[in-house]
Amino acid sequence: MASTSKIDVQSKLKDSSLFIADAFISGEWVSKDAKFDVYEASSASVLGQVANCSLEDFQTAIQDASQAGDKYFASTTAAVRGALLRKWYELIMTNQEDIATILSLENGKTMGEARGETAYAASFIAWFAEEATRSYGVTIPSSMPHTTLMTIREPVGVCGIITPWNFPAAMITRKVAPALAAGCSVVIKPPSETPFTCLALTKLAVEAGFPPGLIQVCPTKDRQAATELATNPLVKKISFTGSTGVGKMLAKLAAGTLKKVSLELGGNAPFIVFADADLDAAVEGAMFCKFRCSGQTCVCANRLYVQKSVAKEFTAKLVQKVSALQMGPGYEPSTTQGPLVNEAAVKKVREHIEDALAKGGKIEVGGKAPEQPGYFFAPTVISGATPDMIVSRDETFGPLAPVFEFDTEEEAIRLANDTEFGLAGYFFSRDYARIMRVAQRLQVGMVGANTGKISAAEAPFGGVKESGYGKEGSCYGLAEYTNVKSITIGGLDS
Ligand code: SIN
């Protein structure tokens, strides 16, 4: 595997064999002549090159996954599948530092966040190791005499898994773990910006003992090849996390063979601070859910609505915290804010700021990309934000916190819901009646009240409106990978 970067990734790992550049097809690591570059965002240099899979690779992987999946489900109990997942979880946690190192290098997030994401990713596997044994059917009193009616849950079959670069580990495991728990096989197209983490996780899955063919990984930059996942009749389910535009396109393609589809798409999360809130807690929440992963999460606070009487105080406290962030390469221990993923991401933040300034916004801190290599943008707070600004409609996906002011609860809810997206929403208040009222009125799939942290294996993850459909994690996640079959048994009178 060629690595032309200044960074020798293997020398940073305890187990250098975890840094893999091959595809994983039909139980074999497959090296390809065709490769694509993966970048290290803080220096914009090439970190390594990865196999660029073709249409034929996807077809082979899908065919093989179909056979392997049937065999796996027929030959394993739920307890066996749970034990395999538990072993995979343990191997990931044993190798947490190496996985975090690879993840931080290819994604840019800080080592602290990368360690956290690795544990978060592993927690989905531990969760679904247990959920595997809880895939219940029901018995139903039949209206027909001498008849019993029951349901069982069966795996849907081959699942096409398409994931984004912002969570190179957790978005893989949040989909793959329930699929394997249910008895499905998976063909993964990892993000082309961050394929190495997925390949390392796959190596550990093989070590855990998952049979050949069950997990296939096809990195590619060829959109046509990846489209095979959405059109091949052998694929029975598509699970996608990414932009609303791509999600809609995949849903249309998948409709051709009526595949099941789960879509976790874009957000435009409101973050409301009422005058009765604990302002320090609200600032803490905003720091987490705005600046985690340098503002590149779907559940990021995108619009901060602060009640007029506390707007100045909140903004001052926020600016103080934001000023203390240390920008730098994610792998440096002192860094608390890493680079963005690429130049296009930097450009988008700049455009949102320019638009806000042209419409009367004021930079309180940040506002610029520093003059240095890499895809950095200074964490920024803008005051005087207004609904006509691009940032009120479009997810910045970067470290920009625009502060809007509002007068009444009614106005805050109207502004918060004035978007086609509905993934997450946050608010801070110490009034219990208001907490219930606002939580119910926000048109989102996930609410954080007095907290910016809403993500956990046990918490249902997913949105409403144009943020997609389907729930991940939680007691609902496994069902997304199963079909309910009813069995009616008649003739029970003799
Ligand atoms: C995402 O941004 O899509 C995932 C965020 C999370 O799991 O917390």
Side-chain angles (χ1 to χ4, degrees), residues 90-323:
E90 280 157 12
L91 285 169
I92 292 173
M93 290 313 291
T94 306
N95 291 278
Q96 183 181 12
E97 198 61 18
D98 278 353
I99 299 291
T101 301
I102 295 170
L103 198 163
S104 168
L105 284 170
E106 65 177 357
N107 169 280
K109 66 176 69 177
T110 66
M111 271 305 285
E113 286 191 51
R115 286 186 196 103
E117 186 189 332
T118 305
Y120 176 50
S123 75
F124 288 107
I125 302 175
W127 176 263
F128 284 108
E130 297 184 356
E131 286 293 289
T133 56
R134 294 185 189 123
S135 187
Y136 303 124
V138 295
T139 56
I140 303 166
S142 173
S143 61
M144 292 173 271
H146 313 300
T147 298
T148 284
L149 173 55
M150 66 178 81
T151 66
I152 58 170
R153 285 191 172 271
E154 296 183 330
V156 291
V158 180
C159 300
I161 306 287
I162 308 176
T163 61
W165 48 265
N166 60 342
F167 286 82
M171 295 308 99
I172 301 280
T173 58
R174 192 154 77 189
K175 299 175 189 307
V176 171
L180 298 179
C184 302
S185 54
V186 293
V187 180
I188 308 169
K189 188 208 107 42
S192 56
E193 297 84 352
T194 61
F196 290 118
T197 304
C198 173
L199 292 163
L201 294 175
T202 303
K203 178 168 188 289
L204 298 177
V206 173
E207 269 174 54
F210 284 104
L214 202 65
I215 304 173
Q216 316 258 350
V217 186
C218 298
T220 194
K221 275 205 128 171
D222 180 341
R223 276 185 178 230
Q224 270 318 101
T227 297
E228 184 68 9
L229 285 177
T231 54
N232 189 307
L234 286 176
V235 176
K236 302 299 179 195
K237 152 122 197 163
I238 289 287
S239 181
F240 170 72
T241 295
S243 73
T244 293
V246 175
K248 285 181 182 176
M249 183 200 75
L250 284 171
K252 274 192 199 142
L253 290 171
T257 46
L258 292 180
K259 298 183 197 322
K260 272 181 176 270
V261 179
S262 298
L263 299 172
E264 197 265 276
L265 307 175
N268 179 8
F271 183 101
I272 308 170
V273 182
F274 289 100
D276 60 25
D278 173 340
L279 287 192
D280 291 319
V283 168
E284 209 54 53
M287 288 304 293
F288 179 80
C289 79
K290 176 68 253 183
F291 294 102
R292 178 166 77 128
C293 196
S294 302
Q296 303 172 107
T297 79
C298 305
V299 289
C300 259
N302 200 52
R303 301 167 286 151
L304 280 64
Y305 296 110
V306 187
Q307 203 152 15
K308 250 182 203 136
S309 60
V310 293
K312 274 212 163 60
E313 191 185 348
F314 173 85
T315 306
K317 283 175 185 280
L318 183 65
V319 166
Q320 197 187 15
K321 290 272 183 196
V322 170
S323 311

Side-chain angles (χ1 to χ4, degrees), residues 14-30:
K14 287 188 211 118
D15 177 358
S16 61
S17 73
L18 285 171
F19 192 60
I20 300 163
D22 297 339
F24 190 61
I25 301 174
S26 307
E28 305 282 345
W29 291 103
V30 180

